[in-house]
Amino acid sequence: MKEISKLMGYRADVKVVDATLRDGGLVNDFYFTDEFVKDLYQTNIKAGVDYMEFGYKAATDMFDVDKFGKWKFCRDDDIRAIVGDNDTDLKLAIMADVGRCNYKTDIANRSDSPIDLIRVATYLHTIPAAVEMIEDAANKGYEVSCNIMAISNSQEANLREALATLGKTPVDVFYIVDSFGALYPEQIARIADIYCEFAAKYGKKVGIHAHDNQKLAFANTIEAVGDGVDWLDGTYACMGRGAGNCAMELLLGFLKNPKYNVYPAIQFVEKHMKKLQAEGVTWGYDLQYLMTGLLNQHPRTAIEFTKENRNDYSEFYKEIVAQD
């Protein structure tokens, strides 16, 4: 059982990262109003959130700019239009996917950009390419994290090899990413032990990004906190791909550091998130996402099920079991 002191106290090293625009943007193709984004920025400042992820730095020669909102591409000028000089304690982040961005040309030097943190997203089989991106971002002056996706499908030996490789790079944070929402707290505890072992060896931090397919994103996140994981991702009202993520309002309410304030988060959810849902933007726990989580599958089939407005859950279960 977790020592109560690990949950009732707080560590100064804990960082909260808002991923609403980025993971939530996968739900509505990144079409957020400027009012929404400006209010989100101000909410994060008032709530004491440490980092705000604006979206992706996606390659414009791979993704049609007419089919996505601007936070799919996160141009520096678009960010500045929201934050100005960002003379605040809130740091700004973007995500760069291996193979889906032109990082050498599209990511400027830190001295010329409003961005503080580059979050490199990779699978185990693309770690060599991730290393190049990490080195490029660090050389440009950024803080860098590496999100290793879909680890619920990985073998421990391969994960250890990847962490050993990343440990030798200038990356600042290794991220546990439960992409399929398939992991349980006891599994998170074992995985966190592995990550923290390599983090201690190489002088890194560990983060967690959880998905809510089995309604465990919050549980897995607070499990990770007790296991020594410091960087914690959340999204307002759980907004994110498929079943969504750890709810920011839950996370801020749980953390005992007095710098965090849940009230601005409640205000933002009331003003904006309920409105998005009323307008038909769909995300969050549902049976189809539970099923892919139980089967440790990518939620793409459940996302398609949702888009088609299907409600034949039993038939869907038979379909995805046959694919497993």
Side-chain angles (χ1 to χ4, degrees), residues 39-291:
D39 282 0
L40 179 59
Y41 171 67
Q42 291 297 328
T43 295
N44 282 325
I45 294 169
K46 295 173 185 176
V49 169
D50 298 283
Y51 290 82
M52 176 176 171
E53 186 179 41
F54 268 77
Y56 286 98
K57 183 69 80 169
T60 55
D61 57 353
M62 293 183 66
F63 298 93
D64 189 342
V65 295
D66 294 326
K67 293 183 179 179
F68 297 95
K70 56 191 170 185
W71 307 115
K72 177 77 170 178
F73 308 98
C74 281
R75 298 175 183 89
D76 286 354
D77 287 346
D78 289 331
I79 296 176
R80 286 195 183 94
I82 300 296
V83 308
D85 293 329
N86 188 35
D87 186 20
T88 75
D89 292 332
L90 177 67
K91 292 188 176 182
L92 311 180
I94 58 97
M95 180 165 280
D97 261 340
V98 169
R100 298 178 181 178
C101 65
N102 298 319
Y103 63 94
K104 291 182 180 179
T105 56
D106 289 349
I107 297 178
N109 289 328
R110 169 67 187 87
S111 58
D112 300 320
S113 173
I115 299 165
D116 301 285
L117 168 69
I118 304 296
R119 286 168 36 111
V120 175
T122 182
Y123 292 101
L124 283 175
H125 68 276
T126 56
I127 288 290
V131 168
E132 289 190 5
M133 292 177 64
I134 290 166
E135 291 175 344
D136 180 81
N139 288 337
K140 289 174 177 174
Y142 293 98
E143 299 175 53
V144 193
S145 69
C146 186
N147 291 31
I148 308 175
M149 299 182 289
I151 60 166
S152 58
N153 277 339
S154 66
Q155 296 182 358
E156 182 177 329
N158 293 335
L159 186 57
R160 285 180 171 274
E161 182 65 27
L163 291 170
T165 298
L166 291 172
K168 298 167 188 173
T169 74
V171 75
D172 298 292
V173 189
F174 304 138
Y175 252 90
I176 300 166
V177 184
D178 183 15
S179 301
F180 303 160
L183 297 173
Y184 296 95
E186 59 268 27
Q187 293 171 297
I188 292 292
R190 292 195 294 270
I191 293 167
D193 283 346
I194 296 170
Y195 274 67
C196 288
E197 173 192 335
F198 283 89
K201 179 178 180 179
Y202 292 103
K204 313 297 185 182
K205 294 293 186 180
V206 179
I208 183 167
H209 180 87
H211 278 263
D212 212 25
N213 297 63
Q214 300 185 82
K215 298 186 75 67
L216 289 172
F218 177 57
N220 284 340
T221 299
I222 63 174
E223 168 65 41
V225 174
D227 296 323
V229 172
D230 287 327
W231 286 52
L232 315 174
D233 282 17
T235 64
Y236 289 89
C238 301
M239 187 182 188
R241 185 203 64 196
N245 305 101
C246 174
M248 179 65 77
E249 56 274 18
L250 280 173
L251 184 57
L252 293 174
F254 165 78
L255 293 171
K256 303 306 182 285
N257 189 333
K259 70 172 278 192
Y260 298 123
N261 182 2
V262 71
Y263 183 62
I266 293 170
Q267 290 180 300
F268 183 82
V269 171
E270 177 184 2
K271 179 179 179 180
H272 287 288
M273 307 312 285
K274 297 302 182 183
K275 179 182 177 183
L276 281 180
Q277 291 172 322
E279 292 171 347
V281 181
T282 303
W283 74 87
Y285 170 83
D286 209 337
L287 277 176
Q288 63 271 32
Y289 296 118
L290 166 66
M291 295 176 203

